[in-house]
Amino acid sequence: MAESYVKPGNQEKGWNDPPQFSYGLQTQAQGVQKRNFLNKRVPPPQLDGSQVSLPSGAPLPAKPLSPTLPLAPPPSTVVLPARRLSAVDCTALSASTHTECEATIEDVMGLLDWALTACRTTVKRQVCDEVSKRLTLFQEMWISGKLSSPVKKRMYYLAEELKKQNWDSADETHRSLIVDYVNEVSQWMVGVKRLIAETRNLPTEVLNAEVEGPSPKEDTTQNTQ
Amino acid sequence: MATYQEFIQQNEDRDGVRFSWNVWPSSRLEAAKMVVPLSCLFTPLKERPDLPPVQYEPVLCSRPTCKAVLNPLCQVDYRAKLWACNFCFQRNHFPPAYAGISDINQPAELMPQFSTIEYIVQNGPQTPLIFLYVVDTCLEEEDLQALKESLQMSLSLLSPNALVGLITFGRMVQVHELSCEGISKSYVFRGTKDLSGKQIQEMLGLTKPAAPVQQGRPAQPQDHSVSSRFLQPVHKIDMNLTDLLGELQRDPWPVPQGKRPLRSTGIALSIAVGLLEGTFPNTGARIMLFTGGPPTQGPGMVVGDELKTPIRSWHDIEKDNARYLKKATKYYDALANRSAVNGHCIDIYAFALDQTGLLEMKCCSNLTGGHIVMGDSFNTSLFKQTYQRVFTKDYNGEFQMAFGGELEVKTSRELKISGAIGPCVSLNVKGPCVSENVRLGGTSQWKICGINPFTTLGMYFEVVNQHNAPVPQGGRGAIQFITQYQHSSTQKRIRVTTIARNWADAQSQIQHIEAAFDQEAAAVLMARLGVCRAQSEEGPDVLRWLDRQLIRLCQKFGQFHKDDPNSFRLSESFSLYPQFMFHLRRSPFLQVFNNSPDESSYYRHHFVRQDLTQSLIMIQPVLYSYSFYGPPEPVLLDSSSILPDKILLMDTFFQLVIYHGETIAQWRKAGYQEMAEYENFKQLLQAPLDDAQEILQTRFPMPRYIDTEHGGSQARFLLSKVNPSQTHNNLYAWGQETGAPILTDDVSLQVFMDHLKKLAVSSAL
């Protein structure tokens, strides 16, 4: 679940900076074979019999509409001929950006803490502490309102996927977050990444044992070892 | 003509080759008269989703001076289990594993549709990929922050087993020890003192008494605990490295008024090359240099630290007034060669408003197959997204980038290989197929340390048959390309492409040769030769050479009456070629006017490594027109295509320009697109954006995106590219006023063609 959107580039810092595509759009484009459809050329005249001085290769334009005032409006009754299938509408941000995230931090932390607890059985203590440090930072940023709604929603999704043991999906979500929202997540996302990596390597008995443990909705203080 | 077009396209799709001539003149003399050399564009690792690799080793010819790979052109005796090499005619026995083959049970490599085939070979341990970040800290705060974030993000894009390392530099150079515990440590080097690879390894504590490595055998670093202080796997070090990157500060040395920061790029690169040389020779690695300004200190410096002395321009270079140019170029050249020998590629990400020294440093990427990406600031979408695309994955979910490519070319005896132009170095392997001449000649093997599915080399051949030697009846010449490389999954693979083309006697069968001419490939191959010449010759001389070749080609293949320009005709297979040459002459690859030396280096760097379609776009940009009157269509790259009620989309490869005609611009300003009854106008405005999107989403490097209109200052990008058929000089000579006049004294295509025809038909030449 990654959003598909396009933002304008940074025109202040780079002249003619191209627009920024979300991770979702980029990966979508990667899988598709390049179509190379904008590669046709029109041969010039001059090498056939005609001595035409005006290049005739261009399509004969209709009488150009006069640009002088008053400006005639564009044709409104002309039906636009069928175009190539257009890609996602460039200008609209995904609708989900505007709706608020319904999950709470407790929901998300509960799921993440479940994973961390499972890891503590076999993974080095130092690594778990480092992960924990970053999860705490994430929690603080959420509570103090520093995280935008799409980040919160995707983190909840990530946490759910983690619980369901859909490792690849969780991993992909973490990647989409760090690509699209690096300035919000860069300080703590690597902890989440590590958490996914360590949890997926846990032996199944450990994971399944934890499943019977406290559920995400319960009071999270019970989870601490 | 349709059949040859199809033939050419099929061959490109299957084998990744585009030959200038697809029917070959059978003698050296005749081939020389063709003007355009027998040559091809070859994409060694062309994406072939339909070609699964085979899991066994290739069968080689047993003759020691041949060793060609078994291929569909070989004659096979299935009963005797023998095969005849089509290059040297040696008869070879099949290995025991092939005992069961027959003409109804052929191995894949003998089937005609497997003219290109890939083998996975399993020898040796699989060494992980290595990514060494070399980061300039003399950046503005905002830039440094954006760069740090991109680097942190890249850790999530790397595979968990990849090794990473970090070197930062400013006035000093710091090699960071990566560890999971305690205080972070680094080794600090002075930015002024040049050190040999050995000295660097000693100072980093990487040398220890060990058995000398045998010549020719790839070095196997037995014990990595020593090097692991500086290069660690991502899965272990990601959290600490993320923190380390997050804590990076701007170079602390204060920069006085009127001075540039002291930047020791030369030493930083030298240390990076030395570190990898001593720890991981002969394994896939990327040194990624991120720099925000020119080297101003130490070996490899490109300009002094006084701002009042500007960095060299083309004018300075022409007047021999570029103080540091020779020495710096030599320095980076030496580093590049060392890196190439070790199989490591060097990327340069140069983001600054002024030049950064790409002219001097370009060999680092050009010789090793690394990337050069240039822009204004790290805090731009162009950098962020282009950098993400370095880590693009293929349809199997594995990185497109590959390493350690070694390309060997074998030819049938009537041909020799003269040389190659592309992101490679010569391996100096002489042999029966080698001739002299051309850049990177004198070898039949090249090394491409950094290679991807689009890397394309220009390969140039020579026909060596004597003039009166008879053409073998139905005879075909053959070429085999053997590319060994390290796949991003760390597997070693071998891709073998074997092609053949008919010989023809140029005296009696010139029309066959003509019909099989690929003008697009020829244009790109000649262009690469031109760019190569431009490195060592004066600009006007290169243009004169190009013009001479064009005139000679027209004299040879045009149909005309002597001294009658109006009678001149070219057949369809040559019809686009003069136009390509016209645009090539005006392109930034051969015209340095209006570009800085860094910009010219940048454009040329990309030009000599792209495939045919992209290269053609660079030579002659594509122009599409959008209007109410029909679907989008390609139009002449000409001023007459610029009309008030049309939107134009131009792709130059480096820029995507959307130009709104005068009336369209006025409608847009008036806001008609917001009104419900003018929904079709809104759609019209959106159409070119949608088409541009696909290019923007996939191209490497990401192009600039220019949205402009009639009278806009950015319209100059379009106006400078179109053929100026209408200028301020001839405006009133036209009967009908269409299109926009271009204010230029440049020659138009019409004038160019008139001169060409006059010269081609002239009996005086």
Side-chain angles (χ1 to χ4, degrees):
Chain A
M1 173 209 146
E3 288 176 12
S4 296
Y5 65 76
V6 187
K7 285 191 304 197
N10 187 349
Q11 295 294 338
E12 259 179 51
K13 278 289 163 176
W15 62 262
N16 300 318
D17 202 28
Q20 183 137 4
F21 297 93
S22 66
Y23 181 76
L25 270 182
Q26 293 250 66
T27 40
Q28 195 182 74
Q30 270 175 37
V32 176
Q33 279 256 278
K34 281 201 318 190
R35 283 192 292 148
N36 266 341
F37 60 88
L38 287 182
N39 64 349
K40 302 269 179 306
R41 286 184 180 80
V42 179
Q46 303 133 19
L47 293 176
D48 51 17
S50 58
Q51 266 299 296
V52 176
S53 47
L54 187 71
S56 57
L60 271 180
K63 189 167 91 68
L65 296 164
S66 162
T68 58
L69 289 171
L71 178 66
S76 62
T77 51
V78 171
V79 174
L80 198 67
R83 290 186 293 110
R84 268 183 291 276
L85 199 64
S86 70
V88 169
D89 186 349
C90 281
T91 51
L93 288 180
S94 167
S96 59
T97 317
H98 296 296
T99 60
E100 281 306 307
C101 175
E102 283 147 12
T104 62
I105 181 62
E106 287 79 22
D107 297 331
V108 182
M109 284 307 292
L111 294 165
L112 295 176
D113 280 336
W114 161 80
L116 184 56
T117 312
C119 286
R120 284 198 187 274
T121 53
T122 51
V123 179
K124 263 170 70 175
R125 188 207 155 104
Q126 194 198 355
V127 172
C128 295
D129 288 344
E130 289 284 327
V131 171
S132 176
K133 210 168 71 173
R134 285 160 179 82
L135 292 185
T136 309
L137 178 57
F138 157 64
Q139 187 175 20
E140 282 165 14
M141 284 183 79
W142 182 308
I143 292 170
S144 56
K146 293 200 180 124
L147 297 180
S148 60
S149 178
V151 171
K152 293 184 195 171
K153 287 173 80 157
R154 271 197 240 177
M155 274 308 295
Y156 182 52
Y157 178 75
L158 186 157
E160 286 192 306
E161 291 294 285
L162 187 62
K163 184 73 205 292
K164 291 183 207 162
Q165 301 183 30
N166 295 337
W167 313 117
D168 288 339
S169 170
D171 210 23
E172 193 66 7
T173 309
H174 117 257
R175 253 193 293 277
S176 78
L177 273 169
I178 200 166
V179 167
D180 291 340
Y181 298 99
V182 64
N183 45 2
E184 282 180 56
V185 314
S186 62
Q187 290 174 289
W188 49 265
M189 182 53 78
V190 66
V192 176
K193 172 191 181 222
R194 196 58 175 272
L195 183 63
I196 299 169
E198 297 293 349
T199 314
R200 81 192 286 174
N201 286 335
L202 291 176
T204 33
E205 316 84 68
V206 175
L207 279 172
N208 294 334
E210 283 297 323
V211 165
E212 271 109 47
S215 84
K217 291 291 181 194
E218 286 180 30
D219 187 355
T220 54
T221 54
Q222 285 183 15
N223 288 347
T224 54
Q225 273 192 337
Chain B
M1 221 41 53
T3 52
Y4 260 119
Q5 298 285 20
E6 284 165 18
F7 170 79
I8 288 169
Q9 192 57 54
Q10 271 170 23
N11 277 277
E12 185 181 11
D13 291 341
R14 192 184 58 232
D15 298 324
V17 287
R18 288 284 295 249
F19 273 91
S20 53
W21 303 97
N22 288 289
V23 169
W24 295 344
S26 57
S27 81
R28 175 201 283 275
L29 190 61
E30 291 300 328
K33 287 195 207 162
M34 299 286 136
V35 184
V36 174
L38 176 55
S39 47
C40 74
L41 289 169
F42 176 57
T43 309
L45 299 189
K46 182 159 175 76
E47 229 162 14
R48 289 286 310 275
D50 59 323
L51 180 72
V54 297
Q55 307 259 2
Y56 49 84
E57 302 240 359
V59 174
L60 303 182
C61 174
S62 56
R63 196 195 291 268
T65 49
C66 177
K67 295 232 191 117
V69 178
L70 178 65
N71 65 78
L73 299 176
C74 298
Q75 297 241 332
V76 178
D77 181 342
Y78 286 102
R79 271 186 315 128
K81 300 285 187 276
L82 285 171
W83 63 279
C85 174
N86 63 301
F87 291 104
C88 72
F89 309 112
Q90 169 94 335
R91 290 163 77 86
N92 300 289
H93 286 276
F94 279 106
Y98 284 67
I101 64 168
S102 69
D103 47 9
I104 48 165
N105 183 23
Q106 290 178 314
E109 59 267 37
L110 285 175
M111 299 188 208
Q113 65 267 36
F114 287 102
S115 49
T116 292
I117 186 168
E118 186 149 301
Y119 301 85
I120 299 179
V121 291
Q122 304 289 3
N123 53 12
Q126 296 188 341
T127 39
L129 302 181
I130 304 167
F131 298 87
L132 180 54
Y133 299 101
V134 181
V135 181
D136 174 9
T137 52
C138 301
L139 303 175
E140 294 287 321
E141 197 61 63
E142 232 184 80
D143 261 41
L144 184 59
Q145 182 58 30
L147 175 58
K148 279 159 46 171
E149 284 171 1
S150 277
L151 298 182
Q152 288 168 326
M153 174 217 62
S154 71
L155 292 177
S156 282
L157 299 179
L158 290 174
S159 46
N161 294 320
L163 299 183
V164 287
L166 177 65
I167 295 176
T168 54
F169 68 97
R171 183 175 169 145
M172 311 293 229
V173 180
Q174 283 182 283
V175 184
H176 296 262
E177 255 196 26
L178 303 180
S179 75
C180 299
E181 42 216 271
I183 311 165
S184 46
K185 296 194 281 270
S186 62
Y187 285 65
V188 183
F189 292 78
R190 268 193 293 149
T192 45
K193 189 158 188 281
D194 196 8
L195 299 164
S196 71
K198 230 166 149 261
Q199 285 173 310
I200 292 166
Q201 288 147 32
E202 269 167 23
M203 289 169 87
L204 291 175
L206 294 172
T207 51
K208 53 187 182 74
V213 174
Q214 278 176 26
Q215 198 76 348
R217 219 163 43 89
Q220 308 276 2
Q222 304 296 342
D223 174 13
H224 287 156
S225 61
V226 174
S227 61
S228 64
R229 285 183 296 132
F230 305 109
L231 298 162
Q232 286 266 1
V234 170
H235 70 87
K236 266 179 80 180
I237 205 64
D238 52 3
M239 290 199 285
N240 297 80
L241 186 52
T242 300
D243 287 346
L244 184 53
L245 288 167
E247 285 154 14
L248 283 182
Q249 301 284 326
R250 285 179 70 186
D251 190 61
W253 297 93
V255 182
Q257 185 86 323
K259 298 249 187 174
R260 297 185 175 90
L262 289 173
R263 206 180 262 110
S264 319
T265 319
I267 295 292
L269 262 183
S270 173
I271 292 173
V273 171
L275 168 59
L276 287 182
E277 194 173 48
T279 52
F280 290 97
N282 294 311
T283 188
R286 292 202 99 81
I287 297 173
M288 299 189 284
L289 171 68
F290 301 88
T291 182
T296 46
Q297 180 178 254
M301 68 186 274
V302 155
V303 67
D305 65 337
E306 297 269 341
L307 276 171
K308 66 182 184 218
T309 317
I311 192 169
R312 75 286 171 281
S313 63
W314 278 120
H315 183 78
D316 293 326
I317 294 168
E318 276 158 32
K319 301 287 175 218
D320 214 11
N321 196 20
R323 206 173 129 189
Y324 305 101
L325 178 59
K326 270 206 189 71
K327 211 161 155 226
T329 306
K330 199 162 162 227
Y331 179 79
Y332 291 112
D333 205 59
L335 279 182
N337 275 297
R338 262 170 70 198
S339 196
V341 161
N342 293 312
H344 304 146
C345 64
I346 302 177
D347 295 340
I348 303 175
Y349 303 93
F351 283 78
L353 289 172
D354 197 358
Q355 298 183 70
T356 53
L358 285 179
L359 177 70
E360 291 83 352
M361 295 194 286
K362 64 183 193 282
C363 48
C364 289
S365 302
N366 288 344
L367 297 188
T368 62
H371 304 301
I372 300 182
V373 189
M374 188 183 80
D376 306 318
S377 154
F378 288 110
N379 192 14
T380 55
S381 151
L382 195 147
F383 168 65
K384 291 180 197 169
Q385 293 192 93
T386 303
Y387 186 55
Q388 281 167 35
R389 287 175 199 179
V390 173
F391 305 99
T392 299
K393 297 204 159 134
D394 64 18
Y395 45 87
N396 280 329
E398 285 158 347
F399 288 135
Q400 276 184 347
M401 58 172 129
F403 297 87
E406 285 189 12
L407 169 63
E408 187 181 352
V409 178
K410 299 197 183 294
T411 64
S412 46
R413 60 183 177 193
E414 303 92 348
L415 280 177
K416 282 201 197 292
I417 174 108
S418 329
I421 299 179
C424 56
V425 285
S426 160
L427 282 169
N428 285 317
V429 174
K430 305 277 182 211
C433 314
V434 176
S435 113
E436 295 311 309
N437 207 8
V438 196
R439 180 177 169 75
L440 295 180
T443 181
S444 62
Q445 289 188 29
W446 293 265
K447 195 161 183 183
I448 316 162
C449 301
I451 185 172
N452 63 50
F454 312 107
T455 307
T456 301
L457 298 179
M459 319 229 55
Y460 298 82
F461 301 90
E462 216 183 294
V463 177
V464 294
N465 248 3
Q466 289 313 306
H467 184 54
N468 45 15
V471 179
Q473 191 68 304
R476 296 202 292 171
I479 302 176
Q480 186 171 77
F481 303 93
I482 304 168
T483 312
Q484 299 190 52
Y485 70 100
Q486 180 184 19
H487 188 261
S488 61
S489 63
T490 73
Q491 277 174 338
K492 272 225 145 33
R493 296 194 181 189
I494 305 180
R495 172 88 73 108
V496 181
T497 294
T498 317
I499 60 93
R501 295 288 186 275
N502 292 329
W503 294 111
D505 172 31
Q507 308 282 11
S508 55
Q509 294 175 299
I510 191 73
Q511 68 278 25
H512 292 302
I513 297 179
E514 252 188 67
F517 179 62
D518 182 347
Q519 54 192 333
E520 293 182 342
V524 176
L525 286 158
M526 290 298 279
R528 285 202 187 195
L529 284 174
V531 168
C532 208
R533 278 175 181 256
Q535 312 280 17
S536 52
E537 289 175 26
E538 299 284 328
D541 290 340
V542 180
L543 292 178
R544 263 194 287 276
W545 167 82
L546 196 69
D547 290 343
R548 248 195 339 269
Q549 304 313 308
L550 177 59
I551 295 166
R552 284 178 59 211
L553 190 74
C554 289
Q555 286 174 326
K556 171 88 181 168
F557 293 101
Q559 295 111 38
F560 55 89
H561 303 302
K562 271 206 167 8
D563 296 316
D564 179 9
N566 291 332
S567 67
F568 185 85
R569 306 279 177 274
L570 276 176
S571 66
E572 205 177 317
S573 50
F574 289 82
S575 60
L576 290 175
Y577 189 83
Q579 198 184 170
F580 287 140
M581 292 298 109
F582 170 75
H583 286 285
L584 176 62
R585 294 171 95 259
R586 306 170 88 213
S587 71
F589 311 109
L590 297 186
Q591 284 285 359
V592 299
F593 179 76
N594 209 32
N595 285 318
S596 67
D598 276 12
E599 282 173 318
S600 300
S601 305
Y602 181 60
Y603 295 136
R604 288 170 176 168
H605 158 89
H606 284 288
F607 185 69
V608 296
R609 59 175 56 195
Q610 289 289 341
D611 65 23
L612 181 131
T613 307
Q614 304 304 316
S615 301
L616 272 184
I617 290 173
M618 291 191 221
I619 293 175
Q620 185 180 328
V622 173
L623 191 64
Y624 269 70
S625 175
Y626 298 76
S627 72
F628 285 118
Y629 312 112
E633 56 185 354
V635 291
L636 269 181
L637 188 62
D638 189 289
S639 55
S640 63
S641 301
I642 304 176
L643 296 165
D645 57 346
K646 300 240 160 86
I647 305 178
L648 292 175
L649 170 62
M650 180 177 76
D651 180 10
T652 71
F653 183 85
F654 299 100
Q655 295 117 5
L656 272 176
V657 182
I658 297 182
Y659 171 94
H660 299 87
E662 192 176 3
T663 310
I664 304 273
Q666 288 176 334
W667 285 334
R668 188 164 69 156
K669 196 155 164 225
Y672 281 103
Q673 63 275 18
E674 312 298 340
M675 304 181 205
E677 60 270 38
Y678 296 106
E679 171 72 23
N680 55 346
F681 180 61
K682 186 170 173 198
Q683 286 177 2
L684 179 65
L685 287 180
Q686 187 62 32
L689 302 187
D690 290 343
D691 289 345
Q693 180 161 304
E694 184 166 328
I695 299 171
L696 285 170
Q697 274 181 268
T698 50
R699 182 171 288 163
F700 184 95
M702 208 175 177
R704 305 259 191 186
Y705 179 71
I706 300 161
D707 186 321
T708 187
E709 59 188 33
H710 171 84
S713 72
Q714 311 271 36
R716 68 185 186 274
F717 289 102
L718 174 66
L719 300 179
S720 63
K721 290 289 184 191
V722 295
N723 170 38
S725 59
Q726 210 176 345
T727 70
H728 59 290
N729 289 324
N730 63 9
L731 181 56
Y732 300 107
W734 297 107
Q736 184 184 357
E737 199 180 295
T738 54
I742 314 283
L743 299 177
T744 181
D745 289 323
D746 276 0
V747 160
S748 69
L749 177 60
Q750 294 83 329
V751 173
F752 177 78
M753 288 301 305
D754 287 342
H755 285 188
L756 176 62
K757 285 191 255 183
K758 275 206 196 83
L759 290 165
V761 307
S762 166
S763 49
L765 287 177

